[in-house]
Amino acid sequence: MMVKDEIDVKKLVGKRIREYRQKHKMSQEKLSEIIDIDSKHLSNIELGKNMPNPQLLLRIAIAFGIEIKELFEICHLLPDEELKTELVRMIKQLSGEQLRYAYKYIKSFVL
């Protein structure tokens, strides 16, 4: 995936952490308590104002029962135009059979 320089990784990682927190039905206060930081610091992380250090990333991942790398799976959070560009790039690389499967899969969501 090609990411432009203007993409703010801190914001995307913060959104990803918020996604996991909400998926686990946790408040910021509860997650803050589990990972042993101030809830204001967690809020700033989720807003993309602060980037967690590696030790904190590990504690967050453990709290969600995931690997750290999953916190960086942020491509789906890119702006719509970036996602469209990436999808077109990926589609161009598909074989005929893969293209037919992709078409059927996408069509099931569109219609």
Side-chain angles (χ1 to χ4, degrees):
M1 161 116 210
M2 296 172 59
V3 179
K4 291 184 178 177
D5 290 336
E6 65 266 11
I7 300 300
D8 190 339
V9 175
K10 285 192 308 187
K11 283 189 180 185
L12 294 177
V13 169
K15 284 182 180 182
R16 186 71 167 144
I17 292 169
R18 182 175 50 235
E19 259 186 354
Y20 271 107
R21 181 177 58 75
Q22 291 173 340
K23 178 182 174 183
H24 286 82
K25 297 181 178 19
M26 273 188 217
S27 66
Q28 283 184 338
E29 292 75 21
K30 179 65 177 171
L31 179 57
S32 297
E33 182 181 311
I34 292 169
I35 61 176
D36 194 29
I37 64 169
D38 184 72
S39 60
K40 182 68 176 165
H41 184 51
L42 178 59
S43 176
N44 285 334
I45 289 170
E46 289 187 1
L47 292 171
K49 294 178 180 177
N50 295 343
M51 183 69 174
N53 65 43
Q55 287 300 318
L56 183 51
L57 285 169
L58 178 61
R59 293 198 313 263
I60 292 168
I62 290 169
F64 296 138
I66 60 173
E67 294 183 37
I68 291 176
K69 68 180 184 176
E70 293 177 61
L71 297 174
F72 291 93
E73 293 173 358
I74 56 177
C75 295
H76 67 286
L77 300 171
L78 291 171
D80 290 351
E81 287 307 311
E82 292 284 328
L83 281 175
K84 288 177 187 177
T85 300
E86 180 61 13
L87 282 170
V88 168
R89 186 194 66 74
M90 291 185 327
I91 287 169
K92 287 179 179 180
Q93 296 177 357
L94 298 177
S95 69
E97 184 179 0
Q98 291 172 322
L99 187 60
R100 285 183 253 307
Y101 282 118
Y103 174 81
K104 289 190 325 189
Y105 188 74
I106 292 169
K107 186 177 179 186
S108 71
F109 285 106
V110 175
L111 299 178

